[in-house]
Amino acid sequence: MKVFLITGASTGIGEASARHAVDAGYRVVLAARSKDKLAALAEDLGGPDVALAVTCDVTDFASQQAMAAAAIDHFGQIDVVFANAGVGASGAGTEAGNVDNWRDMVLTNVLGVTYTAKACLEHLTASRGHLLLTGSRAGRIILKGSVYGATKWAVAGYASNLREELNPRGIRVTLIEPGLTDTPFFDDAKPDGLTADDVARGVIYAVQQPESVNVGDVLITPMPR
Ligand SMILES: NC(=O)c1ccc[n+]([C@@H]2O[C@H](COP(=O)([O-])OP(=O)(O)OC[C@H]3O[C@@H](n4cnc5c(N)ncnc54)[C@H](OP(=O)(O)O)[C@@H]3O)[C@@H](O)[C@H]2O)c1
């Protein structure tokens, strides 16, 4: 059984993707900072034979290396990596933005994704695996003064650059670009948004294509209600 590692697996899109991955026959490695949430999810997904919970801060490279090592110790392989952990903006645009929040966003959304790729690369090379990155529709459109949007433009650029580096080595690279999605990312409910399950189905679509097919971009947006 293939092994599917997800960062930002404690809630939202990552949690939903873990559930869909298990339904699709994968074993999963669940990484985030919230130890209790990850432990409860791992138990719910079937316990240690199916799901491994690993506490990890994606802004810390050593923590990501330890995450990859724990996955290999437990399951012996990593076939799919979903670099999904991310944080949002505390205020819209630049004038209302907060510089400490900008630091968190850049470290988590940009540097964290590069660390995940680097920490897992050796294992994806061994498995001729698949790397997915969570960008955003906000990384394709202009949002007035948005630093969050700029972090997702960076993820989109990095995904394209990685595809050039990794496809020739047999590793597939997919950028997942959700529009508004109703998750704990927001303090209030987003009834007009996608559900996390809607995005997770796009993730599973990309990984279930034949190995001769690289799905480059998956842009998923809600229909007007
Ligand atoms: N919701 C949307 O409308 C939307 C749209 C487009 C793209 N996205 C992107 O989708 C991804 C998932 O977001 P979501 O909507 O599912 O929100 P979410 O429910 O808030 O999930 C974010 C996940 O990232 C983890 N995380 C945050 N900082 C971390 C860190 N330093 N180290 C490890 N894990 C960390 C969180 O877990 P812990 O707090 O337990 O660490 C959580 O599991 C993000 O990259 C986000 O930018 C969201």
Side-chain angles (χ1 to χ4, degrees):
M1 271 166 88
K2 289 189 173 182
V3 176
F4 198 133
L5 181 151
I6 302 170
T7 71
S10 58
T11 56
I13 291 166
E15 176 188 351
S17 299
R19 293 186 184 282
H20 283 252
V22 169
D23 287 347
Y26 289 89
R27 295 175 290 174
V28 289
V29 179
L30 311 167
R33 295 165 302 180
S34 304
K35 190 175 180 182
D36 293 351
K37 282 184 197 163
L38 293 178
L41 178 60
E43 193 56 36
D44 196 37
L45 290 175
D49 290 345
V50 179
L52 173 70
V54 183
T55 309
C56 172
D57 182 339
V58 297
T59 67
D60 176 355
F61 186 56
S63 181
Q64 295 229 38
Q65 287 178 301
M67 167 192 77
I72 294 295
D73 277 355
H74 192 77
F75 288 131
Q77 65 195 76
I78 301 173
D79 301 278
V80 180
V81 172
F82 186 20
N84 166 74
V87 291
S90 57
T94 292
E95 188 168 19
N98 171 286
V99 295
D100 294 328
N101 169 241
W102 293 353
R103 185 180 171 79
D104 277 350
M105 287 196 293
V106 171
L107 291 179
T108 308
N109 301 1
V110 183
L111 198 64
V113 167
T114 66
Y115 284 175
T116 304
K118 178 97 171 156
C120 295
L121 192 50
E122 170 193 351
H123 309 299
L124 287 175
T125 301
S127 62
R128 292 178 71 81
H130 194 152
L131 175 64
L132 301 98
L133 298 75
T134 303
S136 174
R137 178 171 176 270
R140 295 171 69 115
I141 61 171
I142 308 300
L143 287 172
K144 278 192 291 188
S146 172
V147 176
Y148 172 77
T151 68
K152 293 301 186 177
W153 279 92
V155 174
Y158 183 54
S160 296
N161 293 350
L162 271 180
R163 200 172 299 122
E164 290 297 303
E165 183 179 358
L166 301 185
N167 276 182
R169 296 165 58 170
I171 301 170
R172 295 188 282 169
V173 179
T174 299
L175 177 66
I176 303 293
E177 296 169 294
L180 182 73
T181 308
D182 185 16
T183 71
F185 189 81
F186 299 106
D187 294 334
D188 49 338
K190 299 292 178 195
D192 293 339
L194 301 163
T195 66
D197 285 322
D198 294 332
V199 181
R201 286 194 303 277
V203 171
I204 298 300
Y205 163 79
V207 299
Q208 287 193 326
Q209 298 311 301
E211 284 178 10
S212 55
V213 175
N214 188 98
V215 176
D217 297 87
V218 181
L219 172 66
I220 309 171
T221 51
M223 287 292 286
R225 312 280 158 85

